[in-house]
Coordinates of all heavy atoms in Angstrom, one line a residue:
E23 N 138.3 89.3 142.4 CA 137.7 89.0 143.7 C 137.9 87.5 144.0 O 137.8 86.7 143.1 CB 136.2 89.4 143.7 CG 135.9 90.8 143.6 CD 134.4 91.1 143.8 OE1 133.7 90.2 144.1 OE2 134.0 92.3 143.7
E64 N 147.0 81.6 144.8 CA 147.9 81.2 145.9 C 147.6 79.7 146.2 O 146.6 79.2 146.0 CB 147.6 82.0 147.2 CG 147.8 83.5 147.1 CD 147.5 84.3 148.3 OE1 147.3 83.6 149.4 OE2 147.3 85.5 148.2
G76 N 148.1 73.1 138.6 CA 148.0 73.6 137.2 C 148.4 72.6 136.2 O 148.7 73.0 135.0
P78 N 146.8 69.6 134.3 CA 145.7 68.7 134.1 C 146.1 67.3 133.6 O 147.2 67.1 133.1 CB 144.9 69.5 132.9 CG 146.0 70.3 132.3 CD 147.0 70.7 133.4
L85 N 132.4 64.9 135.8 CA 131.5 66.0 135.9 C 130.1 65.5 136.2 O 129.8 64.3 136.2 CB 131.5 66.8 134.6 CG 132.9 67.4 134.3 CD1 132.8 68.1 132.9 CD2 133.4 68.3 135.3
H98 N 133.5 51.3 124.2 CA 134.4 52.2 123.6 C 134.5 53.5 124.4 O 135.6 54.0 124.7 CB 134.0 52.5 122.1 CG 135.1 53.3 121.4 ND1 135.0 53.4 120.0 CD2 136.2 53.9 121.8 CE1 136.1 54.1 119.6 NE2 136.8 54.4 120.6
A101 N 136.6 52.7 127.5 CA 138.0 52.5 127.1 C 138.7 53.7 126.7 O 139.9 53.7 126.6 CB 138.0 51.4 126.0
E110 N 146.3 50.3 122.2 CA 145.6 49.9 121.0 C 144.1 49.7 121.3 O 143.7 49.1 122.3 CB 146.2 48.7 120.3 CG 145.8 48.4 118.9 CD 144.6 47.5 118.9 OE1 144.5 46.6 119.8 OE2 143.8 47.6 118.0
G126 N 128.6 45.9 137.2 CA 127.1 45.7 137.0 C 126.7 46.2 135.6 O 125.6 46.6 135.4
R145 N 127.1 54.4 135.9 CA 128.1 53.3 136.2 C 129.2 53.3 135.2 O 130.4 53.1 135.5 CB 127.4 52.0 136.2 CG 126.4 51.8 137.4 CD 125.9 50.4 137.4 NE 124.8 50.2 138.4 CZ 124.5 49.1 139.0 NH1 125.2 48.0 138.7 NH2 123.5 49.1 139.9
L153 N 139.3 54.0 135.4 CA 140.3 53.6 134.5 C 141.3 54.7 134.2 O 142.4 54.4 133.8 CB 139.7 53.1 133.2 CG 139.1 51.7 133.2 CD1 138.4 51.3 131.9 CD2 140.1 50.6 133.5
D162 N 132.0 65.5 140.6 CA 131.2 66.7 140.8 C 129.7 66.4 140.7 O 129.2 66.2 139.6 CB 131.6 67.7 139.8 CG 130.9 69.1 140.0 OD1 130.0 69.2 140.9 OD2 131.3 70.1 139.4
P164 N 127.9 63.6 141.2 CA 127.8 62.5 140.3 C 126.4 61.8 140.2 O 126.0 61.2 139.3 CB 128.8 61.4 140.8 CG 128.9 61.8 142.3 CD 128.8 63.2 142.4
W179 N 124.9 50.6 145.3 CA 125.9 50.0 144.4 C 127.2 50.7 144.6 O 128.3 50.1 144.6 CB 125.4 50.2 142.9 CG 126.5 49.9 141.9 CD1 126.9 48.7 141.5 CD2 127.4 50.9 141.3 NE1 128.0 48.8 140.6 CE2 128.3 50.2 140.5 CE3 127.5 52.3 141.4 CZ2 129.3 50.8 139.7 CZ3 128.5 52.9 140.6 CH2 129.4 52.2 139.8
I194 N 131.6 66.4 145.3 CA 130.7 67.5 145.6 C 129.3 67.1 145.7 O 128.8 66.3 144.9 CB 130.8 68.6 144.5 CG1 132.2 69.3 144.5 CG2 129.7 69.7 144.6 CD1 132.4 70.2 143.3
I202 N 126.3 62.3 154.2 CA 126.4 61.5 155.4 C 126.5 60.0 155.1 O 127.4 59.2 155.6 CB 125.3 61.7 156.4 CG1 125.2 63.2 156.9 CG2 125.4 60.8 157.6 CD1 124.0 63.5 157.6
L203 N 125.7 59.5 154.2 CA 125.6 58.1 153.8 C 126.9 57.6 153.2 O 127.4 56.5 153.5 CB 124.4 57.9 152.8 CG 124.2 56.4 152.4 CD1 123.8 55.6 153.5 CD2 123.2 56.4 151.2
P215 N 134.1 85.0 150.1 CA 134.6 83.8 149.3 C 134.4 82.5 150.1 O 134.4 82.6 151.4 CB 136.0 84.1 149.0 CG 136.5 85.0 150.2 CD 135.3 85.9 150.5
I218 N 136.7 76.6 154.0 CA 136.3 75.4 154.7 C 136.0 75.8 156.2 O 136.9 76.4 156.8 CB 137.5 74.4 154.7 CG1 137.8 73.9 153.3 CG2 137.1 73.2 155.6 CD1 136.7 73.1 152.6
L235 N 119.2 55.9 156.8 CA 118.8 57.3 156.9 C 117.7 57.5 158.0 O 117.5 58.7 158.3 CB 118.1 57.7 155.5 CG 119.1 58.2 154.4 CD1 120.1 57.2 154.0 CD2 118.3 58.7 153.2
I241 N 120.1 60.8 161.9 CA 119.4 62.1 162.1 C 120.1 63.1 162.9 O 120.1 64.3 162.7 CB 118.0 61.8 162.7 CG1 117.1 61.0 161.6 CG2 117.2 63.1 163.0 CD1 115.9 60.4 162.2

Side-chain angles (χ1 to χ4, degrees):
E23 294 187 3
E64 297 177 17
L85 303 175
H98 193 166
E110 192 269 327
R145 291 184 189 209
L153 283 174
D162 188 347
W179 167 82
I194 288 174
I202 299 169
L203 180 66
I218 299 292
L235 272 63
I241 293 169

